[in-house]
Amino acid sequence: MGATGGALAVGRADQRIKGGGADMRLREVAPVADGDLPLAALKDQLRLGSGFADEGGQDAVLRGWLRAALAAVERRLDKALISRSFILDLPGWSDAEAQVLPIAPVSAITEVKLFDAGGASSVLDGARWRLVADAHPSPA
């Protein structure tokens, strides 16, 4: 899930989401790349000086603050502000006809994998499910 794709895994239970009768777990496949974080814009906003011997010395700290702010805003809005992939684990469907996803916008689902009680998995044929587009614009 996410603007770049992802997977929907059903049957296994870092973000737990209560709702719809199911306890969901949403995980990023990989964190936002450093180059995708608006570091230069933050430095400009903070009016950090340039031309000093220490230039760039605080970049790691600023990236950490950007990641924390991004996580807080995305959790509050249930929206992915920067495109990336997620995995959603569900202990079961919340509805027999549809499963509401906990984050938007979703542009693709790469697979739906079902797990039985013993932990064995099987990939659900793509002809048996579909992604219904929502009204959310895709992130940049």
Side-chain angles (χ1 to χ4, degrees):
M1 232 163 44
T4 59
L8 180 65
V10 179
R12 290 209 178 161
D14 286 356
Q15 174 183 357
R16 291 206 183 273
I17 303 158
K18 297 265 188 188
D23 192 13
M24 302 181 211
R25 183 174 159 207
L26 183 67
R27 299 178 284 137
E28 285 183 301
V29 172
V32 174
D34 286 349
D36 291 337
L37 292 170
L39 184 61
L42 178 61
K43 290 168 86 171
D44 288 346
Q45 177 67 30
L46 295 174
R47 295 189 170 106
L48 295 180
S50 61
F52 299 100
D54 176 71
E55 189 171 333
Q58 295 297 315
D59 287 1
V61 173
L62 293 174
R63 277 192 294 274
W65 283 106
L66 281 169
R67 288 182 193 286
L70 180 66
V73 170
E74 286 184 339
R75 177 170 272 171
R76 179 76 175 200
L77 298 176
D78 293 330
K79 305 249 184 298
L81 300 178
I82 297 178
S83 177
R84 59 199 183 280
S85 297
F86 294 87
I87 293 176
L88 175 63
D89 295 327
L90 302 168
W93 301 113
S94 61
D95 182 305
E97 296 297 318
Q99 176 61 53
V100 175
L101 302 176
I103 196 165
V106 176
S107 65
I109 296 176
T110 56
E111 74 178 7
V112 175
K113 190 180 287 187
L114 303 175
F115 293 88
D116 65 18
S121 67
S122 61
V123 175
L124 191 60
D125 180 23
R128 296 190 56 205
W129 58 271
R130 65 188 167 101
L131 174 62
V132 177
D134 57 22
H136 300 279
S138 294

